[in-house]
Amino acid sequence: MARIRVGLLPTASFMVGTLPVPKYADAEKTQFATDRETGARLMTITLFFMEEDRAEALKITVPETGLPNGLKPGMPVMPVELFATPWARIFNGQLSDGIAYRVDRLDLLTPAPTAEAA
């Protein structure tokens, strides 16, 4: 499957939408998904992606080792090594497709000062 590095404009920003939750390797949720190279447990987190005049919620997979301490909804973060992988499958005779997002880690950012703080 094609793995595509995502290029971001300098105006791009990300904000944590949800706390990370474990990603499972099976539908019964009995086995955690792990990184093939490091063995680290994989987590899923929703980030709000804002760029120029648009915003989207992205569900992103990140190794547990790539999550900063103290991560909370609303915090500004920057994904490091963001990749997109298009996927498609037939389920019950219907085609499903989408894009899976994956990062190596999330870096916490210091929020920009507000006009009130200046």
Side-chain angles (χ1 to χ4, degrees), residues 8-106:
L8 300 170
L9 295 175
T11 57
S13 63
F14 292 83
M15 182 175 41
V16 176
T18 63
L19 291 174
V21 295
K23 186 170 183 165
Y24 293 94
D26 59 344
E28 295 80 27
K29 296 185 176 184
T30 61
Q31 184 176 358
F32 292 115
T34 57
D35 184 275
R36 290 184 186 129
E37 293 177 17
T38 67
R41 189 165 68 163
L42 296 176
M43 307 294 282
T44 302
I45 188 168
T46 299
L47 299 181
F48 294 112
F49 165 59
M50 293 145 296
E51 188 175 69
E52 295 184 339
D53 61 348
R54 67 187 190 104
E56 289 185 45
L58 300 179
K59 191 185 232 185
I60 296 181
T61 298
V62 59
E64 191 171 36
T65 54
L67 294 169
N69 291 329
L71 198 62
K72 294 179 185 164
M75 291 181 139
V77 293
M78 183 55 66
V80 176
E81 295 294 312
L82 176 60
F83 285 88
T85 304
W87 60 270
R89 68 173 167 239
I90 296 176
F91 183 72
N92 288 337
Q94 298 291 319
L95 176 65
S96 294
D97 61 353
I99 299 172
Y101 294 97
R102 170 83 186 253
V103 298
D104 284 350
R105 72 176 194 272
L106 296 175

